[in-house]
Each structure stands twice: as C-alpha cells, then as structure tokens.
Amino acid sequence: DHGGHYVRSSLFAPPAPPNGGPHGKVRRSLPVYQYRTKLIDAFVNNPVTIVEGETGSGKTTQVAQYLLEHASETNAPVNIICTQPRRISAIGVAERVASERGEPRVGVGITLEVESS
C-alpha cells in the first residue's frame, strides 16, 4: 500500500547488484560508506536532508545508490534526482553510477534556462 497514491511500476528500484556491483570494493572504501545507515535513516525520517562532505567522498555517486538500494530492499517506490551545475558533470555522474551498478546506462535529463534582465 502506498497511501492511496498512484505509483508507476517504473518507480520501483531494480535489485542491488551483488556485492555492491563491479566496483563494490571501491564503493565500500569511500568515506561516505561508514555513514550509509545514518544517511538512509536521515532521508527516510526527514523531509529535507543536507549532505556535506569533502570532494571525492562519494556524496554524489553513492548517496543516490544507497537510496536506490534501500528502496529495492523495502519494495518502496523511488524517484531520485541528482543535480549538477554543468551538462558534462551530469553525464559523467550518470555514467559513473551506471558503471558502478554494472548497468549499461542511467537516465540523464538536461534543462537549460536562460535569463536576461
């Protein structure tokens, strides 16, 4: 039951890759890994969660995967959006996450807004 809300079947997460995927050992060595359970709890129990950490700690590539894996384990619908300031960064993150999960690709959406004053 999802609280009476309509949920698309595509919002259900695929199973987590065995042993954390082809890069599981590297993923477990990142600084953010030691906070995996606390991060999941924070996202589940709070409407807003801010994650702060050093460059290269795994914030961008790992936290989204933790949430995806948790959704798969609990059979909960999930829609994860990760923003990046530049198109090349967004594509790079998507490719990295797909590689770590052993998947051919993940979705990338690019929006460009132009403002003039």
Side-chain angles (χ1 to χ4, degrees):
D1 181 347
H2 300 288
H5 296 282
Y6 171 75
V7 179
R8 292 188 348 224
S9 62
S10 62
L11 292 180
F12 288 90
N19 299 316
H23 302 279
K25 187 175 180 180
V26 173
R27 290 184 63 204
R28 289 185 294 276
S29 73
L30 292 169
V32 75
Y33 183 76
Q34 65 183 314
Y35 301 104
R36 184 181 191 277
T37 302
K38 288 181 180 181
L39 285 164
I40 291 169
D41 289 344
F43 278 97
V44 168
N45 295 309
N46 297 287
V48 176
T49 302
I50 297 172
V51 179
E52 181 181 19
E54 297 292 325
T55 300
S57 65
K59 299 178 306 294
T60 301
T61 59
Q62 301 309 302
V63 174
Q65 289 186 75
Y66 298 161
L67 297 174
L68 186 65
E69 291 161 0
H70 176 72
S72 177
E73 293 164 5
T74 59
N75 197 34
V78 65
N79 187 16
I80 300 168
I81 300 170
C82 179
T83 63
Q84 291 293 306
R86 290 172 296 286
R87 180 179 188 271
I88 192 72
S89 300
I91 293 168
V93 168
E95 289 174 347
R96 176 67 188 195
V97 169
S99 172
E100 289 182 2
R101 292 187 52 78
E103 297 177 0
R105 66 184 205 108
V106 295
V108 178
I110 308 290
T111 301
L112 175 65
E113 290 185 17
V114 178
E115 295 182 24
S116 61
S117 52

